[in-house]
Amino acid sequence: MTSQPLSLLTQDGTYQSQTALPLDPESIDCAQLLRDMIMTRRVDSEAIALQRQGELGLWPSLLGQEAAQVGAAASLFPRDVVFPTYREHGVAWCRGVDPVNLLGLFRGTTMGGWDPTENNFNLYTLVIGAQTLHAVGYAMGIVRDGDVGTGDPERDRAVLVFLGDGALSEGETNEAFVWAAAQNLPVVFFCQNNQWAISAPYSVQSRVAVAQRAQGFGFKGIRVDGNDVIACLSATREAMAAARSGNGPTLIEAFTYRRNPHTTSDDDGRYRSGAENDVWESLDPIERLKNYLVGSNKIDQDFLSKVAAEEQELAEKLRAGCRALPNPAPDHPFRNTYAEMPKELEDQMIEHLNFVEAGA
């Protein structure tokens, strides 16, 4: 990012001019966007280090996808509802979820980690594509509650659901598209096309761009530069406004790249070249925005030093908080499966507790 911070990529692969974007870059706090991306990356790097030290069982890195997540999250109103995959650490950060709680799921100390109603940010979904149906169901509820298309900004709301390119091959995702289109639901599908569904490149999954898939279901699709945080904010803000107004769903394809392995248990060197990764490292979204803001005198070294200090404070909190997470009680999974525990599950719980006590 140099003198032009904005760039929307259309379905035919061409870039729209800056004037075509429904957002004035001077109207947003670019410095805050940069801070959120930097802090998100620190959460990610600390979690990887904790996993390597044996403190976490697994961690799905988002390195390279910070702009897509922070930009999309910045478009949200408080009453909007988010359905994430398992990699939306940046969205969680922007919605106010304690990052220590993110670690609990991957440490095995919790089955969720946070109350979805506190920040309108639902629990991570490990089943690929399942969250798209959850989101559509919630959007149906919004319509039935009359919270869409009223013109009242304090009432109207919409759903933002995240998915990866691999989820497009799942039946649930396509079913979600059908329902969203048929019922004109207030939901925005935000696909982070990081080009790899674990070891399967997008080229073997589809013959058309992600955004073009929306046409087959009868709603709008747009392809955006996923490494440009302002472009991601602009596209998502427009789509969410349309959804809140009753104008139905949108599919956003944020074209980006997963620079780390799929998870810490993956060896990406077996299926892609380091040279490819080097190219995308040169397009780093944080450096891109930082260079733009420094070059235009919108931030200075004092700002960067303060963020660096915040980073260090966050890192220390994550390390201490992770190790202090309490082990769950042996009856916790049983008591949090149903609102009212059925007799069969209660019998299983009693049998399990007796087993645990006998081995103590």
Side-chain angles (χ1 to χ4, degrees):
M1 181 178 295
T2 55
S3 60
Q4 295 289 340
L6 302 178
S7 52
L8 274 181
L9 191 60
T10 61
Q11 292 181 21
D12 62 2
T14 61
Y15 284 92
Q16 294 179 350
S17 66
Q18 183 178 3
T19 56
L21 294 169
L23 178 67
D24 177 7
E26 299 301 326
S27 69
I28 61 176
D29 189 347
C30 292
Q32 181 62 41
L33 294 176
L34 177 63
R35 174 187 175 273
D36 286 337
M37 286 198 291
I38 291 173
M39 300 298 279
T40 293
R41 181 168 292 183
R42 189 57 180 260
V43 171
D44 190 59
S45 62
E46 288 298 324
I48 293 172
L50 286 165
Q51 193 280 330
R52 297 307 190 204
Q53 295 165 17
E55 301 293 346
L56 301 180
L58 188 75
W59 182 256
S61 173
L62 56 55
L63 181 65
Q65 299 178 221
E66 296 87 355
Q69 294 191 17
V70 170
S75 74
L76 296 169
F77 290 177
R79 277 173 48 81
D80 292 330
V81 179
V82 177
F83 286 83
T85 68
Y86 47 79
R87 202 186 298 273
E88 273 67 61
H89 318 315
V91 186
W93 169 267
C94 293
R95 291 301 270 181
V97 176
D98 187 340
V100 173
N101 290 337
L102 297 180
L103 303 181
L105 179 63
F106 300 98
R107 187 173 172 85
T109 61
T110 176
M111 298 178 67
W114 57 89
D115 181 353
T117 63
E118 287 184 0
N119 311 91
N120 282 335
F121 183 84
N122 283 276
L123 299 179
Y124 276 1
T125 306
L126 301 181
V127 179
I128 305 300
Q131 75 281 0
T132 58
L133 284 177
H134 303 161
V136 164
Y138 200 101
M140 292 170 69
I142 289 177
V143 172
R144 284 154 177 75
D145 288 342
D147 292 343
V148 61
T150 70
D152 181 358
E154 298 298 321
R155 180 173 181 176
D156 291 341
R157 57 185 182 144
V159 175
L160 180 62
V161 55
F162 290 86
L163 62 150
D165 50 285
L168 294 166
S169 299
E170 297 289 338
E172 290 96 328
T173 302
N174 290 273
E175 291 169 10
F177 288 170
V178 169
W179 279 99
Q183 299 196 14
N184 202 45
L185 295 176
V187 57
V188 174
F189 300 94
F190 192 95
C191 178
Q192 294 171 84
N193 181 4
N194 62 26
Q195 304 181 54
W196 290 93
I198 309 184
S199 59
Y202 185 72
S203 60
V204 305
Q205 301 177 64
S206 177
R207 295 180 64 179
V208 299
V210 170
Q212 286 182 279
R213 290 187 174 220
Q215 297 178 6
F217 295 92
F219 56 92
K220 181 180 179 181
I222 183 171
R223 195 183 206 200
V224 64
D225 183 347
N227 281 27
D228 187 332
V229 66
I230 304 176
C232 291
L233 168 57
S234 176
T236 314
R237 179 179 288 182
E238 182 181 34
M240 291 295 289
R244 296 187 204 102
S245 300
N247 292 323
T250 301
L251 171 61
I252 297 173
E253 175 191 3
F255 191 78
T256 182
Y257 190 81
R258 168 172 57 77
R259 282 165 46 194
N260 269 342
H262 177 68
T263 68
T264 48
S265 66
D266 176 35
D267 179 8
D268 63 333
R270 298 176 63 184
Y271 56 81
R272 63 183 185 183
S273 70
E276 180 178 292
N277 208 321
D278 292 343
V279 169
W280 282 92
E281 184 178 5
S282 70
L283 303 173
D284 184 80
I286 292 179
E287 291 302 313
R288 184 176 180 179
L289 181 59
K290 184 190 299 183
N291 291 340
Y292 166 71
L293 294 178
V294 171
S296 57
N297 296 317
K298 296 180 183 296
I299 63 171
D300 54 19
Q301 187 56 49
D302 182 58
F303 170 84
L304 295 174
S305 296
K306 289 180 180 179
V307 173
E310 286 186 83
E311 269 195 89
Q312 187 59 34
E313 183 179 348
L314 173 62
E316 294 171 1
K317 173 188 174 182
L318 287 170
R319 291 192 287 267
C322 177
R323 296 183 174 97
L325 286 168
N327 291 327
D331 63 345
H332 183 76
F334 299 91
R335 297 191 182 280
N336 290 275
T337 301
Y338 296 100
E340 296 182 7
M341 187 183 301
K343 181 66 168 56
E344 181 181 4
L345 189 61
E346 182 179 8
D347 291 343
Q348 293 177 20
M349 179 184 70
I350 293 172
E351 180 180 358
H352 176 68
L353 291 177
N354 288 337
F355 174 81
V356 171
E357 184 178 356

Coordinates of all heavy atoms in Angstrom, one line a residue, residues 45-56 107 319 322-323:
S45 N 0.9 -15.4 17.0 CA 2.3 -15.9 17.2 C 2.5 -16.5 18.6 O 3.2 -17.4 18.8 CB 3.2 -14.8 16.9 OG 3.0 -13.7 17.8
E46 N 1.8 -15.9 19.6 CA 2.0 -16.4 21.0 C 1.3 -17.7 21.1 O 1.8 -18.6 21.8 CB 1.4 -15.4 22.0 CG 2.2 -14.1 22.2 CD 3.6 -14.4 22.8 OE1 3.7 -15.3 23.6 OE2 4.5 -13.7 22.4
A47 N 0.2 -17.9 20.5 CA -0.5 -19.2 20.5 C 0.3 -20.3 19.9 O 0.4 -21.4 20.4 CB -1.9 -19.1 19.9
I48 N 1.0 -20.0 18.8 CA 1.8 -21.0 18.1 C 3.0 -21.3 19.1 O 3.3 -22.5 19.2 CB 2.4 -20.4 16.8 CG1 1.2 -20.2 15.8 CG2 3.5 -21.3 16.2 CD1 1.7 -19.5 14.5
A49 N 3.6 -20.3 19.7 CA 4.7 -20.6 20.6 C 4.2 -21.5 21.8 O 4.9 -22.4 22.2 CB 5.2 -19.3 21.2
L50 N 3.0 -21.2 22.3 CA 2.4 -22.0 23.4 C 2.2 -23.5 23.0 O 2.4 -24.4 23.7 CB 1.1 -21.4 23.9 CG 1.3 -20.1 24.7 CD1 0.0 -19.4 24.9 CD2 1.9 -20.4 26.1
Q51 N 1.7 -23.6 21.7 CA 1.5 -25.0 21.2 C 2.8 -25.7 21.1 O 2.9 -26.9 21.5 CB 0.8 -24.9 19.9 CG 0.2 -26.3 19.4 CD 1.3 -27.2 18.8 OE1 2.2 -26.7 18.2 NE2 1.1 -28.5 18.9
R52 N 3.8 -25.1 20.6 CA 5.1 -25.7 20.5 C 5.7 -26.1 21.9 O 6.5 -27.0 22.0 CB 6.1 -24.8 19.8 CG 5.7 -24.4 18.3 CD 5.4 -25.6 17.5 NE 5.3 -25.3 16.1 CZ 4.6 -26.0 15.2 NH1 4.0 -27.2 15.6 NH2 4.5 -25.7 13.9
Q53 N 5.3 -25.4 22.9 CA 5.8 -25.7 24.3 C 4.9 -26.7 24.9 O 5.1 -27.1 26.1 CB 5.8 -24.4 25.1 CG 6.7 -23.3 24.6 CD 6.5 -22.0 25.2 OE1 5.7 -21.8 26.2 NE2 7.0 -20.9 24.5
G54 N 3.9 -27.2 24.2 CA 3.0 -28.3 24.8 C 1.9 -27.7 25.6 O 1.2 -28.5 26.3
E55 N 1.6 -26.4 25.6 CA 0.5 -25.8 26.3 C -0.8 -25.9 25.6 O -1.9 -25.8 26.2 CB 0.9 -24.4 26.7 CG 2.1 -24.2 27.5 CD 2.0 -24.8 28.9 OE1 0.9 -25.1 29.4 OE2 3.1 -24.9 29.5
L56 N -0.8 -26.0 24.3 CA -2.0 -26.2 23.5 C -1.9 -27.4 22.7 O -0.8 -27.8 22.2 CB -2.2 -25.0 22.5 CG -2.3 -23.6 23.2 CD1 -2.5 -22.5 22.1 CD2 -3.4 -23.5 24.2
R107 N -6.7 -25.8 24.3 CA -5.9 -26.4 25.4 C -6.7 -27.6 25.9 O -6.2 -28.4 26.7 CB -5.7 -25.3 26.5 CG -4.9 -25.8 27.6 CD -4.6 -24.6 28.6 NE -3.9 -25.0 29.8 CZ -2.6 -25.2 30.0 NH1 -1.8 -25.0 28.9 NH2 -2.1 -25.6 31.1
R319 N 0.4 -15.7 28.0 CA 1.2 -16.8 28.5 C 0.8 -17.2 29.9 O 0.6 -18.4 30.2 CB 2.7 -16.4 28.5 CG 3.3 -16.3 27.1 CD 4.8 -16.2 27.2 NE 5.3 -14.9 27.6 CZ 5.6 -13.9 26.8 NH1 5.4 -14.0 25.5 NH2 6.0 -12.8 27.3
C322 N -3.0 -18.6 29.8 CA -3.2 -19.9 29.2 C -2.8 -21.0 30.3 O -3.6 -21.9 30.5 CB -2.2 -20.1 28.0 SG -2.2 -21.7 27.3
R323 N -1.7 -20.8 31.0 CA -1.3 -21.8 32.0 C -2.2 -21.8 33.2 O -2.2 -22.8 33.9 CB 0.2 -21.5 32.4 CG 1.2 -21.7 31.2 CD 2.6 -21.5 31.6 NE 3.5 -21.8 30.5 CZ 4.1 -20.9 29.7 NH1 3.8 -19.6 29.9 NH2 4.9 -21.2 28.7

